[in-house]
Amino acid sequence: MSRRSSGAVVVGLDPSADSRAALVWAADEAERRGATLRIGHSWNLEAYRLPRADLAEIAEPARNAAWTLLEQAADQARQRHPGLPVEPELIEEPPVEGLLRMAATDADVVVTGRRGLHGFRTFLLGSVSRGVVAHAPVPAVVVSHGGTPRTHGPVVLGVAPESDTPVDFAFGQAEMRGVPLVAVRAWTRPQPATGHRFLLPRDAEQRTKEEAADLDRLLAPARAAHPGVAVITRVVAAVPEQAIVESAQDACLVVVGAHRRLTRFGLPIGRVPQRVMHAAPCPVAVVPQPRR
């Protein structure tokens, strides 16, 4: 594969198992793209709130330890893919700010572990992955070390109405990997105030046909641009995140879009991508869509 003169895959590093899995995924992605792998590790003693005298005493050993962690990770990536350009970087600012800065230049994708070193099992995502996904200017991929890594399964794409932003990214991933793409569209039945669901079979069939036609319309430009990608479409009456996760049981990657929300409370990327990232058995790529 010929190397590109620009473009990078940025990955955040800490000693956690999820972060190590993210490093492997990012190195493979950089190799597929012919891109540079940039590994960022944040070190900052201010969070410990120690007296300044103590900070000064431990600053140099802490920085050296952080750099050792980075160098070991870079060596691991080089051994996995000889010839891969690898650039380790110590992040002086908080991790989310540092990774966003690294991703804001020429990055194609930014990668994090699902949970960091201090993640709590009760949380859907670690604070770093949550912050990166909510604000990254490029697709953000969240990786967990759990389960068996899949390399030959399909790429699963969740396609919402009038939402074609993640389509090109998903087709590109399927083409690079030489795997099929499964495009999922889910629609929900009406929910009357009584709580009972009622929809005539012929109405449900018509709704499914309409959703399938809209899905085909959104996929058409990418299908023409990537004629070698085999495409399977699934249109179901179900909760969207449930349909996507169920379709991803043998997938190598799930791709969803996210409308960012400038809100003080709630989920800044919406319910569907948040729940898919929590429940999917494989890495999840969240592609940012223009703010409304």
Side-chain angles (χ1 to χ4, degrees):
M1 179 183 293
S2 61
R3 295 292 176 192
R4 297 187 335 182
S5 59
S6 62
V9 173
V10 173
V11 59
L13 176 72
D14 65 35
S16 69
D18 279 8
S19 179
R20 292 294 183 176
L23 173 66
V24 171
W25 193 97
D28 292 349
E29 179 72 2
E31 178 69 14
R32 281 189 292 266
R33 290 177 175 270
T36 298
L37 176 65
R38 293 186 182 143
I39 309 172
H41 173 56
S42 177
W43 85 288
N44 194 320
L45 299 178
E46 297 298 328
Y48 293 97
R49 298 182 180 180
L50 297 173
R52 289 193 176 275
D54 293 338
L55 286 175
E57 183 178 346
I58 66 174
E60 184 174 354
R63 183 182 179 89
N64 291 340
W67 184 250
T68 298
L69 178 68
L70 262 176
E71 283 292 343
Q72 290 173 347
D75 288 342
Q76 177 185 345
R78 294 185 185 107
Q79 291 173 9
R80 186 175 180 84
H81 297 292
L84 177 68
V86 181
E87 298 177 356
E89 178 180 335
L90 276 180
I91 297 174
E92 304 292 341
E93 60 263 54
V96 173
E97 295 177 14
L99 290 175
L100 293 177
R101 172 182 53 76
M102 293 176 67
T105 52
D106 60 349
D108 297 317
V109 63
V110 57
V111 187
T112 68
R114 183 177 295 179
R115 291 185 180 90
L117 185 62
H118 302 295
F120 290 99
R121 292 292 179 184
T122 53
F123 290 170
L124 296 182
L125 292 172
S127 59
V128 173
S129 55
R130 186 169 60 245
V132 169
V133 169
H135 301 286
V138 296
V141 179
V142 177
V143 181
S144 172
H145 77 287
T148 303
R150 301 174 178 87
T151 57
H152 302 294
V155 171
V156 171
L157 166 66
V159 189
E162 302 302 328
S163 176
D164 59 354
T165 303
V167 173
D168 284 337
F169 181 85
F171 269 82
Q173 286 288 322
E175 186 171 62
M176 284 191 294
R177 297 163 183 270
V179 299
L181 182 139
V182 178
V184 180
R185 165 66 63 83
W187 61 274
T188 55
R189 298 173 184 272
Q191 296 284 341
T194 58
H196 296 288
R197 299 183 178 185
F198 180 75
L199 195 65
L200 292 175
R202 64 176 180 272
D203 294 333
E205 183 179 354
Q206 179 62 29
R207 175 68 183 274
T208 298
K209 289 181 179 179
E210 292 172 354
E211 296 289 346
D214 184 63
L215 177 59
D216 287 339
R217 177 182 63 82
L218 290 174
L219 297 179
R223 272 178 156 164
H226 304 273
V229 175
V231 180
I232 302 167
T233 58
R234 294 178 182 170
V235 180
V236 295
V239 177
E241 56 268 34
Q242 177 184 354
I244 294 170
V245 171
E246 288 178 353
S247 297
Q249 294 309 304
D250 61 344
C252 64
L253 180 69
V254 171
V255 180
V256 293
H259 288 292
R260 268 76 175 273
R261 295 176 174 86
L262 296 176
T263 176
R264 185 174 180 181
F265 303 102
L267 303 175
I269 61 170
R271 183 199 73 216
V272 173
Q274 182 82 8
R275 291 183 176 177
V276 170
M277 284 189 293
H278 174 60
C282 61
V284 177
V286 180
V287 182
Q289 302 194 57
R291 297 186 189 274
R292 292 181 176 178

